[in-house]
mmCIF file of all heavy atoms in Angstrom:
data_model
loop_
_atom_site.group_PDB
_atom_site.id
_atom_site.type_symbol
_atom_site.label_atom_id
_atom_site.label_comp_id
_atom_site.label_asym_id
_atom_site.label_seq_id
_atom_site.Cartn_x
_atom_site.Cartn_y
_atom_site.Cartn_z
ATOM 1 N N ARG A 17 0.843 -1.202 0.019
ATOM 2 C CA ARG A 17 -0.012 -0.022 0.011
ATOM 3 C C ARG A 17 0.888 1.246 0.005
ATOM 4 O O ARG A 17 1.990 1.219 0.464
ATOM 5 C CB ARG A 17 -0.897 0.007 1.236
ATOM 6 C CG ARG A 17 -1.831 -1.198 1.259
ATOM 7 C CD ARG A 17 -3.028 -0.912 2.122
ATOM 8 N NE ARG A 17 -3.994 -1.959 2.098
ATOM 9 C CZ ARG A 17 -4.944 -2.108 1.189
ATOM 10 N NH1 ARG A 17 -5.075 -1.252 0.215
ATOM 11 N NH2 ARG A 17 -5.839 -3.112 1.264
ATOM 12 N N THR A 18 0.312 2.336 -0.525
ATOM 13 C CA THR A 18 1.004 3.638 -0.613
ATOM 14 C C THR A 18 0.067 4.691 -0.059
ATOM 15 O O THR A 18 -1.112 4.684 -0.284
ATOM 16 C CB THR A 18 1.378 3.942 -2.080
ATOM 17 O OG1 THR A 18 2.165 2.901 -2.595
ATOM 18 C CG2 THR A 18 2.145 5.262 -2.162
ATOM 19 N N TRP A 19 0.676 5.656 0.701
ATOM 20 C CA TRP A 19 -0.114 6.751 1.232
ATOM 21 C C TRP A 19 0.773 7.966 1.484
ATOM 22 O O TRP A 19 1.964 7.869 1.482
ATOM 23 C CB TRP A 19 -0.876 6.345 2.510
ATOM 24 C CG TRP A 19 -0.005 6.027 3.684
ATOM 25 C CD1 TRP A 19 0.233 6.864 4.776
ATOM 26 C CD2 TRP A 19 0.694 4.808 3.984
ATOM 27 N NE1 TRP A 19 1.052 6.221 5.650
ATOM 28 C CE2 TRP A 19 1.355 4.979 5.222
ATOM 29 C CE3 TRP A 19 0.847 3.628 3.300
ATOM 30 C CZ2 TRP A 19 2.129 3.976 5.804
ATOM 31 C CZ3 TRP A 19 1.633 2.611 3.886
ATOM 32 C CH2 TRP A 19 2.277 2.817 5.080
ATOM 33 N N GLY A 20 0.100 9.109 1.673
ATOM 34 C CA GLY A 20 0.809 10.349 1.942
ATOM 35 C C GLY A 20 0.650 10.770 3.355
ATOM 36 O O GLY A 20 -0.375 10.478 3.984
ATOM 37 N N ARG A 21 1.657 11.423 3.892
ATOM 38 C CA ARG A 21 1.627 11.912 5.263
ATOM 39 C C ARG A 21 2.298 13.308 5.312
ATOM 40 O O ARG A 21 3.366 13.464 4.701
ATOM 41 C CB ARG A 21 2.323 10.956 6.184
ATOM 42 C CG ARG A 21 2.287 11.410 7.663
ATOM 43 C CD ARG A 21 2.985 10.412 8.593
ATOM 44 N NE ARG A 21 2.225 9.182 8.673
ATOM 45 C CZ ARG A 21 2.714 8.059 9.216
ATOM 46 N NH1 ARG A 21 3.955 8.034 9.678
ATOM 47 N NH2 ARG A 21 1.976 6.977 9.268
ATOM 48 N N SER A 22 1.741 14.200 6.061
ATOM 49 C CA SER A 22 2.330 15.492 6.278
ATOM 50 C C SER A 22 2.397 15.752 7.784
ATOM 51 O O SER A 22 1.356 15.705 8.497
ATOM 52 C CB SER A 22 1.543 16.618 5.580
ATOM 53 O OG SER A 22 2.250 17.847 5.704
ATOM 54 N N TYR A 23 3.605 15.954 8.283
ATOM 55 C CA TYR A 23 3.806 16.335 9.679
ATOM 56 C C TYR A 23 3.817 17.832 9.685
ATOM 57 O O TYR A 23 4.414 18.448 8.849
ATOM 58 C CB TYR A 23 5.179 15.815 10.206
ATOM 59 C CG TYR A 23 5.330 14.321 10.191
ATOM 60 C CD1 TYR A 23 5.970 13.704 9.122
ATOM 61 C CD2 TYR A 23 4.852 13.559 11.233
ATOM 62 C CE1 TYR A 23 6.113 12.313 9.110
ATOM 63 C CE2 TYR A 23 5.012 12.191 11.220
ATOM 64 C CZ TYR A 23 5.627 11.547 10.171
ATOM 65 O OH TYR A 23 5.786 10.208 10.145
ATOM 66 N N TYR A 24 3.188 18.440 10.693
ATOM 67 C CA TYR A 24 3.137 19.926 10.735
ATOM 68 C C TYR A 24 3.191 20.417 12.164
ATOM 69 O O TYR A 24 2.952 19.689 13.126
ATOM 70 C CB TYR A 24 1.852 20.414 10.050
ATOM 71 C CG TYR A 24 0.599 19.934 10.744
ATOM 72 C CD1 TYR A 24 0.090 20.582 11.874
ATOM 73 C CD2 TYR A 24 -0.050 18.811 10.266
ATOM 74 C CE1 TYR A 24 -1.042 20.124 12.518
ATOM 75 C CE2 TYR A 24 -1.181 18.352 10.910
ATOM 76 C CZ TYR A 24 -1.686 18.999 12.012
ATOM 77 O OH TYR A 24 -2.787 18.566 12.672
ATOM 78 N N ARG A 25 3.481 21.719 12.236
ATOM 79 C CA ARG A 25 3.419 22.447 13.510
ATOM 80 C C ARG A 25 2.848 23.838 13.125
ATOM 81 O O ARG A 25 3.414 24.550 12.347
ATOM 82 C CB ARG A 25 4.807 22.624 14.111
ATOM 83 C CG ARG A 25 4.713 23.387 15.457
ATOM 84 C CD ARG A 25 5.958 23.289 16.213
ATOM 85 N NE ARG A 25 5.977 21.933 16.757
ATOM 86 C CZ ARG A 25 6.999 21.391 17.394
ATOM 87 N NH1 ARG A 25 8.081 22.110 17.586
ATOM 88 N NH2 ARG A 25 6.946 20.161 17.852
ATOM 89 N N ASN A 26 1.660 24.149 13.645
ATOM 90 C CA ASN A 26 0.973 25.365 13.321
ATOM 91 C C ASN A 26 1.300 26.449 14.372
ATOM 92 O O ASN A 26 0.722 26.501 15.441
ATOM 93 C CB ASN A 26 -0.573 25.137 13.293
ATOM 94 C CG ASN A 26 -1.337 26.354 12.992
ATOM 95 O OD1 ASN A 26 -0.766 27.407 12.676
ATOM 96 N ND2 ASN A 26 -2.644 26.266 13.059
ATOM 97 N N THR A 27 2.212 27.286 14.032
ATOM 98 C CA THR A 27 2.588 28.416 14.905
ATOM 99 C C THR A 27 1.910 29.717 14.494
ATOM 100 O O THR A 27 2.295 30.785 14.994
ATOM 101 C CB THR A 27 4.134 28.598 14.872
ATOM 102 O OG1 THR A 27 4.534 28.837 13.512
ATOM 103 C CG2 THR A 27 4.829 27.359 15.402
ATOM 104 N N SER A 28 0.941 29.657 13.626
ATOM 105 C CA SER A 28 0.269 30.872 13.137
ATOM 106 C C SER A 28 -0.663 31.530 14.135
ATOM 107 O O SER A 28 -1.033 32.693 14.008
ATOM 108 C CB SER A 28 -0.509 30.561 11.851
ATOM 109 O OG SER A 28 -1.704 29.805 12.183
ATOM 110 N N GLY A 29 -1.092 30.754 15.157
ATOM 111 C CA GLY A 29 -1.995 31.315 16.134
ATOM 112 C C GLY A 29 -3.469 31.224 15.752
ATOM 113 O O GLY A 29 -4.309 31.757 16.474
ATOM 114 N N ARG A 30 -3.759 30.600 14.637
ATOM 115 C CA ARG A 30 -5.179 30.479 14.205
ATOM 116 C C ARG A 30 -5.390 29.129 13.518
ATOM 117 O O ARG A 30 -4.437 28.533 12.988
ATOM 118 C CB ARG A 30 -5.575 31.622 13.262
ATOM 119 C CG ARG A 30 -4.716 31.687 12.026
ATOM 120 C CD ARG A 30 -5.064 32.912 11.238
ATOM 121 N NE ARG A 30 -4.081 33.091 10.203
ATOM 122 C CZ ARG A 30 -4.096 34.080 9.368
ATOM 123 N NH1 ARG A 30 -5.058 34.985 9.406
ATOM 124 N NH2 ARG A 30 -3.161 34.206 8.450
ATOM 125 N N PRO A 31 -6.647 28.620 13.581
ATOM 126 C CA PRO A 31 -6.916 27.345 12.903
ATOM 127 C C PRO A 31 -6.674 27.465 11.421
ATOM 128 O O PRO A 31 -6.954 28.507 10.823
ATOM 129 C CB PRO A 31 -8.394 27.103 13.226
ATOM 130 C CG PRO A 31 -8.742 28.032 14.290
ATOM 131 C CD PRO A 31 -7.814 29.177 14.228
ATOM 132 N N LEU A 32 -6.200 26.380 10.831
ATOM 133 C CA LEU A 32 -5.961 26.313 9.394
ATOM 134 C C LEU A 32 -6.618 25.108 8.770
ATOM 135 O O LEU A 32 -7.137 24.242 9.521
ATOM 136 C CB LEU A 32 -4.428 26.287 9.133
ATOM 137 C CG LEU A 32 -3.604 27.426 9.680
ATOM 138 C CD1 LEU A 32 -2.133 27.164 9.472
ATOM 139 C CD2 LEU A 32 -4.048 28.743 9.078
ATOM 140 N N GLU A 33 -6.572 25.029 7.462
ATOM 141 C CA GLU A 33 -7.023 23.829 6.750
ATOM 142 C C GLU A 33 -5.898 23.373 5.845
ATOM 143 O O GLU A 33 -5.187 24.171 5.220
ATOM 144 C CB GLU A 33 -8.246 24.149 5.917
ATOM 145 C CG GLU A 33 -8.805 22.909 5.231
ATOM 146 C CD GLU A 33 -10.132 23.228 4.531
ATOM 147 O OE1 GLU A 33 -10.064 23.647 3.351
ATOM 148 O OE2 GLU A 33 -11.149 23.098 5.161
ATOM 149 N N ALA A 34 -5.726 22.071 5.773
ATOM 150 C CA ALA A 34 -4.706 21.465 4.878
ATOM 151 C C ALA A 34 -5.404 20.549 3.891
ATOM 152 O O ALA A 34 -6.394 19.925 4.188
ATOM 153 C CB ALA A 34 -3.708 20.624 5.691
ATOM 154 N N VAL A 35 -4.866 20.546 2.677
ATOM 155 C CA VAL A 35 -5.278 19.594 1.651
ATOM 156 C C VAL A 35 -4.022 18.787 1.293
ATOM 157 O O VAL A 35 -3.033 19.371 0.863
ATOM 158 C CB VAL A 35 -5.852 20.276 0.420
ATOM 159 C CG1 VAL A 35 -6.182 19.265 -0.670
ATOM 160 C CG2 VAL A 35 -7.100 21.103 0.763
ATOM 161 N N LEU A 36 -4.078 17.486 1.516
ATOM 162 C CA LEU A 36 -2.964 16.592 1.218
ATOM 163 C C LEU A 36 -3.334 15.750 0.016
ATOM 164 O O LEU A 36 -4.370 15.080 0.027
ATOM 165 C CB LEU A 36 -2.633 15.708 2.449
ATOM 166 C CG LEU A 36 -1.580 14.605 2.249
ATOM 167 C CD1 LEU A 36 -0.250 15.225 1.825
ATOM 168 C CD2 LEU A 36 -1.458 13.821 3.525
ATOM 169 N N THR A 37 -2.495 15.788 -0.980
ATOM 170 C CA THR A 37 -2.733 15.052 -2.238
ATOM 171 C C THR A 37 -1.590 14.143 -2.564
ATOM 172 O O THR A 37 -0.456 14.552 -2.503
ATOM 173 C CB THR A 37 -2.953 16.001 -3.436
ATOM 174 O OG1 THR A 37 -3.977 16.954 -3.094
ATOM 175 C CG2 THR A 37 -3.286 15.274 -4.700
ATOM 176 N N VAL A 38 -1.896 12.853 -2.865
ATOM 177 C CA VAL A 38 -0.897 11.906 -3.320
ATOM 178 C C VAL A 38 -1.175 11.638 -4.804
ATOM 179 O O VAL A 38 -2.304 11.354 -5.163
ATOM 180 C CB VAL A 38 -0.950 10.587 -2.556
ATOM 181 C CG1 VAL A 38 0.010 9.574 -3.125
ATOM 182 C CG2 VAL A 38 -0.616 10.805 -1.092
ATOM 183 N N MET A 39 -0.145 11.811 -5.625
ATOM 184 C CA MET A 39 -0.275 11.579 -7.049
ATOM 185 C C MET A 39 0.511 10.321 -7.423
ATOM 186 O O MET A 39 1.674 10.162 -6.992
ATOM 187 C CB MET A 39 0.269 12.779 -7.806
ATOM 188 C CG MET A 39 -0.615 14.028 -7.554
ATOM 189 S SD MET A 39 0.264 15.592 -7.534
ATOM 190 C CE MET A 39 1.213 15.496 -6.054
ATOM 191 N N GLY A 40 -0.106 9.427 -8.170
ATOM 192 C CA GLY A 40 0.494 8.179 -8.565
ATOM 193 C C GLY A 40 0.521 7.976 -10.064
ATOM 194 O O GLY A 40 0.201 8.879 -10.829
ATOM 195 N N PRO A 41 0.864 6.786 -10.480
ATOM 196 C CA PRO A 41 0.920 6.460 -11.903
ATOM 197 C C PRO A 41 -0.432 6.603 -12.606
ATOM 198 O O PRO A 41 -1.473 6.474 -11.944
ATOM 199 C CB PRO A 41 1.406 5.027 -11.949
ATOM 200 C CG PRO A 41 1.605 4.593 -10.528
ATOM 201 C CD PRO A 41 1.165 5.666 -9.645
ATOM 202 N N ALA A 42 -0.408 6.865 -13.858
ATOM 203 C CA ALA A 42 -1.602 6.966 -14.721
ATOM 204 C C ALA A 42 -2.605 8.021 -14.242
ATOM 205 O O ALA A 42 -3.776 7.902 -14.395
ATOM 206 C CB ALA A 42 -2.316 5.612 -14.801
ATOM 207 N N GLY A 43 -2.059 9.095 -13.649
ATOM 208 C CA GLY A 43 -2.888 10.211 -13.242
ATOM 209 C C GLY A 43 -3.770 9.956 -12.027
ATOM 210 O O GLY A 43 -4.669 10.754 -11.738
#
């Protein structure tokens, strides 16, 4: 199996939204 992961630290002081995309073969 294959998957994407993003580790983060939000120091902005406000809630945020993230969009994580994994791109593989054949689009």
Side-chain angles (χ1 to χ4, degrees):
R17 299 200 175 276
T18 302
W19 67 101
R21 181 181 290 168
S22 187
Y23 299 96
Y24 62 82
R25 181 167 287 172
N26 179 7
T27 58
S28 72
R30 59 186 168 181
L32 302 174
E33 184 173 89
V35 176
L36 175 58
T37 305
V38 174
M39 294 147 290

